[in-house]
Amino acid sequence: MVKIVEKRQLTPITKLYRVYAPLIAKAARAGQFVIVRVREGGERIPLTITDYDRDSGLLTIVVQEVGATTRRLGELQQGEEILDMVGPLGEAPDIPSGGHIVGVGGGYGSAALLCLMRELKDRGENTTIIMGAREKDLLILSDELNEICDHVEICTDDGSAGFKGFVTERLQQMIDGGPPGPPDYVIAIGPMAMMRAVEKTTRAAGIANAASLDPLMIDGTGMCGGCRVTVGGETRFACVDGPFFDAHEVDFDEAVSRSKMYVKQEQKAAACQRSAAGAA
Amino acid sequence: MPVKRADKTPMPVREANLRAHDFEEVNEGYCFAHAMFEAERCLRCQDPVCIDGCPVRVPIADFMHAVAAGDMPKAAELLRTANPLAAICGRVCPQEAQCEANCHMTKRFGPVAIGHLERYVSDWEMEQPINDEVAKPWRDEKIAIVGSGPSGLVCAGELARMGYTVTVFEALHAPGGVLRYGIPEFRLPNSILDWEIQSLERLGVEFVNNVIIGKTLKLEQLFGEMGYKAIFIGTGAGLPKFMGIPGESLNGVYSANEFLTRINLMQAFDFPRSETPLSVGKRVAVIGSGNTAMDAVRSALRLGAEHAMVVYRRSENEMTARIEEYEHAIEEGVEFHWLTNPIEVLGEDGWVTGLKCLRMELGEPDESGRARPVPIEGSEFIFPVDNVVLSIGTRPNPLLHKATPELKTHSWGGLLVDERQVETTVHRVYAGGDAVTGAATVILAAGAGKRAAEAIHADLSVDREKSATN
């Protein structure tokens, strides 16, 4: 059981939790993730570590409600407990020093970039984050990221804040020499479609690009093989070999297809959850 | 007919056409009369060679005498002293290749049903009133067990009985290792495993779930700030092998580990009440012929597959599953395709549609001593299938030794141990079970856990004396 010390509503469907998980907070490194289970009979789902504080033993996670389990998690309040949490899982990414490092975060992906960008900043890197959302109200943690990164580039689909357009369009402007300058290394975290689009952009420009993959997984220790992704023609497990991979080597078509494996069942589970809520 | 000339008393089982649709236990267990009769079949050999077939050397002859005399407390005591996981081993041990293979009755009338009696006596034990008192450790030393599979459970139990403070760390949210995530309820009900774990808790063993040694905590933290004096690694062989054939990443292809974990640990059979989904179609092909393959194919049948098939490149003779599982699978309607080698998984729109195979014939023996399957030219054909489950073996998980470079392994991943077969290349870190041997049986892991407990006790006793004289 892991106690929720603080809950913040970032957007109508995105919540930030600070939980007391001293062992995980002590061992965590930027870019790693945890697996949580919310109730008996519930799924195990991976969540990226947004931040950690070794002294207080607090771990920050951000949850976007997309399925039955994340919705259930979103209902938990400050003072309540998360049934199971295990981690830190996966490997921290190995990001080369020097040059202009650009993080591209879509939706909840911006949260996943938070402690990674701070670690890079502490290392003395020149950092920029491009964060995208549909509209202004869906942008998350922009104040926190503003403190950490040298440049914060905001993109919204409707132009309600920052640049009007997709993160990839803003990225292309930078590659073409627009401020704050062309990237030497790009880290993409967000929805699979966004990471794929970022990869296309960086590939055309010949820029190194890491992507953090979050396929379906159960144990997170390499035991089930459900999170397998094809990288450079080889089968790799995102849980133990990842979550970061060279985006140019990732078979995104396959990864997207595998991420949709249980769409039907997820709809059924969601309907079941709604009718249960209705009954209550 | 005299008892000594009677055939082996068959295990009562549930009707095949009923049990093939649920996850309730297949075997019903002997009743008292069965047990008395069967124990009476024992020839009381002067030299009971059955014991030599048992990896943990259960005193089978004495045990038989106790059962035949109706002295169940004594029988249970004899059993549990030698085999702390008797209720489990009575259900999952390959007795036909161990104790029962050596029985002098085997040739003419069939062996004495040692396994069935082991189960009978353990089941009797489980029905007895329990003393709720939790034992207090009386020694100062704390010992950490990494992994709560069979070797870890046995090692923990033995050390707790010797008075040590024992903590078992488990990576998943429930203890039991492969007994929990791998073996289905119809063969080993979770209630049996829970009972074994509760018995260990009463011995004073503490279970800590959701902690991955090598990730959450490092070995040096266990020794340092946490003050453990010895560590036992029983992390098993949980890393699934894939075949490396095209199409393995199509939707609908599972490793047997994933397939069984979704069902056993995550209870996907109860979807959507339990929220972990599983996609089982009408035609399911399981590749492999071990116990795990049987567990997977029989689970597929129970989840609605109309054609649940085993596809294996060798023949029936080379099959590695327990004979009982094979027989039960046939009774339940599992289809077996021997001498059939899958070469490609075919798909459409990202989903499995078929399995392309080659017919094989047996040639000269290979390095394993078994006849080598050789492809028959031009025999390629396609099975239309909705799912493919790969059950072609597992390797030890590299997670812990990746985080602990001093922990040396064989090239295939098994942990290196000393001449006593217990201590690793790190001082006071011991290992046993599949993490050392590669995938093997519950009873061999149990034996290794017991051996390690004895070595830990001996080594810590030496350490204790040394520090007393210094």
Side-chain angles (χ1 to χ4, degrees):
Chain A
M1 297 286 243
V2 174
K3 188 158 190 165
I4 298 168
V5 177
E6 185 193 337
K7 178 182 183 179
R8 265 169 64 194
Q9 182 109 12
L10 300 181
T11 79
I13 56 157
T14 319
K15 277 130 194 176
L16 176 145
Y17 290 104
R18 295 182 82 199
V19 300
Y20 185 64
L23 291 182
I24 304 175
K26 194 170 175 191
R29 289 201 52 203
Q32 290 187 301
F33 64 95
V34 293
I35 283 183
V36 302
R37 201 170 67 116
V38 184
R39 63 166 196 128
E40 284 303 333
E43 269 186 293
R44 293 169 63 97
I45 57 160
L47 295 170
T48 305
I49 294 171
T50 295
D51 210 352
Y52 55 81
D53 181 4
R54 302 202 201 289
D55 296 332
S56 64
L58 293 183
L59 194 77
T60 308
I61 52 170
V62 169
V63 184
Q64 184 175 346
E65 293 174 24
V66 289
T69 304
T70 44
R71 259 194 300 277
R72 228 180 266 287
L73 186 53
E75 285 162 11
L76 292 181
Q77 302 303 325
Q78 190 169 314
E80 290 187 303
E81 288 177 322
I82 297 173
L83 181 60
D84 295 293
M85 179 179 285
V86 63
L89 297 161
E91 298 290 332
D94 194 9
I95 294 160
S97 272
H100 180 203
I101 299 173
V102 176
V104 183
Y108 62 95
S110 308
L113 278 162
L114 185 78
C115 66
L116 189 57
M117 296 313 275
R118 191 177 47 225
E119 205 168 86
L120 292 169
K121 185 68 204 153
D122 290 348
R123 228 166 70 179
E125 309 290 352
N126 172 22
T127 58
T128 297
I129 182 163
I130 306 176
M131 50 192 296
R134 223 170 45 236
E135 53 183 66
K136 189 180 172 209
D137 289 347
L138 298 178
L139 287 164
I140 56 167
L141 302 175
S142 52
D143 293 344
E144 285 84 350
L145 285 160
N146 231 327
E147 275 174 38
I148 291 164
C149 301
D150 295 321
H151 313 281
V152 175
E153 302 298 324
I154 287 172
C155 307
T156 49
D157 296 2
D158 64 355
S160 52
F163 174 81
K164 180 174 191 276
F166 295 131
V167 287
T168 41
E169 295 173 75
R170 186 70 193 89
L171 179 64
Q172 188 62 51
Q173 285 185 344
M174 287 167 56
I175 292 171
D176 295 338
D184 294 295
Y185 194 92
V186 172
I187 306 161
I189 308 184
M192 206 73 92
M194 184 215 83
M195 292 193 287
R196 176 151 68 174
V198 169
E199 190 276 329
K200 269 194 187 136
T201 312
T202 55
R203 180 160 30 123
I207 296 167
N209 184 180
S212 171
L213 303 184
D214 60 342
L216 303 170
M217 57 178 74
I218 305 177
D219 59 294
T221 62
M223 193 192 83
C224 79
C227 66
R228 60 194 184 277
V229 286
T230 305
V231 182
E234 279 181 34
T235 299
R236 309 287 297 278
F237 292 174
C239 67
V240 287
D241 302 325
F244 289 86
F245 293 103
D246 178 350
H248 299 314
E249 300 284 331
V250 171
D251 183 340
F252 277 104
D253 288 341
E254 181 189 279
V256 168
S257 168
R258 286 186 65 78
S259 72
K260 293 179 180 158
M261 186 151 166
Y262 296 109
V263 167
K264 265 191 237 156
Q265 284 95 332
E266 279 159 14
Q267 286 163 352
K268 194 171 167 188
C272 183
Q273 197 181 30
R274 273 195 302 274
S275 69
Chain B
M1 185 170 55
V3 172
K4 307 280 183 215
R5 309 189 70 167
D7 288 340
K8 180 179 180 178
T9 311
M11 167 62 77
V13 293
R14 292 170 58 227
E15 286 271 3
N17 56 5
L18 289 178
R19 71 183 194 235
H21 303 286
D22 65 36
F23 279 83
E24 302 288 312
E25 196 172 10
V26 168
N27 287 348
E28 294 180 304
Y30 278 172
C31 66
F32 182 72
H34 288 135
M36 299 313 281
F37 184 86
E38 188 60 23
E40 200 52 60
R41 287 181 67 231
C42 176
L43 295 175
R44 313 283 189 266
C45 303
Q46 286 295 306
D47 174 22
V49 284
C50 46
I51 299 173
D52 300 333
C54 176
V56 297
R57 300 193 65 80
V58 169
I60 297 166
D62 297 343
F63 168 73
M64 286 297 158
H65 286 229
V67 177
D71 188 350
M72 295 307 158
K74 188 179 173 197
E77 167 82 31
L78 285 165
L79 197 54
R80 193 147 286 275
T81 308
N83 183 3
L85 297 181
I88 292 169
C89 290
R91 288 170 164 82
V92 304
C93 252
Q95 288 94 4
E96 73 266 18
Q98 299 177 350
C99 51
E100 293 181 18
N102 288 1
C103 178
H104 287 306
M105 291 283 278
T106 299
K107 274 192 190 141
R108 289 191 62 192
F109 310 105
V112 174
I114 301 168
H116 295 344
L117 288 169
E118 180 179 28
R119 175 191 158 144
Y120 175 80
V121 172
S122 322
D123 287 356
W124 172 88
E125 194 186 12
M126 278 189 275
E127 281 166 14
Q128 302 314 301
I130 42 170
N131 179 357
D132 269 336
E133 228 168 283
V134 175
K136 284 242 162 43
W138 65 87
R139 294 182 196 276
D140 296 332
E141 295 100 335
K142 291 188 347 181
I143 297 162
I145 310 282
V146 184
S148 63
S151 70
L153 291 180
V154 169
C155 191
E158 296 296 295
L159 288 166
R161 273 187 208 96
M162 293 176 201
Y164 292 96
T165 303
V166 182
T167 312
V168 180
F169 294 99
E170 167 57 45
L172 293 170
H173 59 258
V178 70
L179 305 170
R180 176 82 61 186
Y181 73 75
I183 305 178
E185 294 245 17
F186 59 81
R187 205 149 73 83
L188 175 65
N190 277 340
S191 57
I192 307 283
L193 179 58
D194 292 339
W195 186 84
E196 297 279 14
I197 286 164
Q198 283 153 14
S199 312
L200 291 174
E201 284 173 337
R202 284 195 299 275
L203 282 174
V205 175
E206 186 197 6
F207 286 87
V208 180
N209 299 329
N210 294 320
V211 170
I212 304 174
I213 305 302
K215 284 286 185 192
T216 319
L217 288 168
K218 301 277 193 288
L219 288 187
E220 59 260 32
Q221 285 174 282
L222 292 177
F223 278 132
E225 62 203 61
M226 298 181 79
Y228 289 97
K229 295 294 179 211
I231 299 169
F232 173 78
I233 301 171
T235 47
L239 203 71
K241 288 184 192 166
F242 286 84
M243 293 182 77
I245 59 176
E248 275 180 339
S249 288
L250 286 165
N251 288 342
V253 180
Y254 292 99
S255 71
N257 264 10
E258 181 183 359
F259 192 75
L260 291 170
T261 300
R262 283 182 181 270
I263 297 167
N264 301 332
L265 176 72
M266 306 308 296
Q267 291 158 7
F269 57 82
D270 203 14
F271 184 87
R273 198 145 50 129
S274 98
E275 288 166 347
T276 301
L278 182 72
S279 164
V280 178
K282 297 291 173 216
R283 302 176 61 91
V284 180
V286 175
I287 301 170
S289 79
N291 288 319
T292 308
M294 299 302 147
D295 287 344
V297 78
R298 294 170 71 197
S299 296
L301 203 66
R302 284 159 169 76
L303 290 168
E306 285 163 13
H307 293 274
M309 306 176 261
V310 164
V311 176
Y312 186 46
R313 66 197 176 104
R314 299 175 190 263
S315 79
E316 189 180 359
N317 294 327
E318 287 83 30
M319 176 191 69
T320 54
R322 288 175 80 210
I323 196 77
E324 184 183 84
E325 308 315 327
Y326 176 47
E327 286 169 359
H328 284 171
I330 292 176
E331 289 165 13
E332 290 165 10
V334 171
E335 300 161 26
F336 286 84
H337 300 278
W338 307 111
L339 292 165
T340 307
N341 191 29
I343 52 170
E344 185 179 352
V345 185
L346 306 171
E348 224 178 271
D349 300 331
W351 281 87
V352 176
T353 55
L355 186 63
K356 191 191 276 185
C357 300
L358 280 177
R359 299 263 183 232
M360 310 293 274
E361 58 190 355
L362 291 178
E364 295 296 307
D366 61 14
E367 60 278 7
S368 74
R370 299 181 293 179
R372 182 194 298 276
V374 189
I376 299 171
E377 222 35 64
S379 64
E380 212 173 282
F381 70 102
I382 294 166
F383 276 123
V385 295
D386 304 306
N387 292 101
V388 173
V389 180
L390 299 161
S391 179
I392 53 167
T394 54
R395 284 180 295 139
N397 195 323
L399 199 141
L400 179 54
H401 56 80
K402 258 169 77 181
T404 322
E406 316 85 82
L407 214 49
K408 302 291 180 216
T409 64
H410 294 280
S411 55
W412 51 268
L415 287 167
L416 278 171
V417 286
D418 63 358
E419 66 283 353
R420 295 176 300 168
Q421 294 299 303
V422 286
E423 199 169 13
T424 67
T425 50
V426 180
H427 186 62
R428 297 298 176 255
V429 176
Y430 303 76
D434 287 3
V436 171
T437 59
T441 58
V442 171
I443 188 72
L444 283 172
K450 205 168 152 180
R451 208 164 53 233
E454 284 156 11
I456 290 170
H457 177 54
D459 292 353
L460 291 189
S461 302
V462 171
D463 291 354
R464 206 157 34 226
E465 270 168 40
K466 266 192 202 153
S467 65
T469 50
N470 281 344

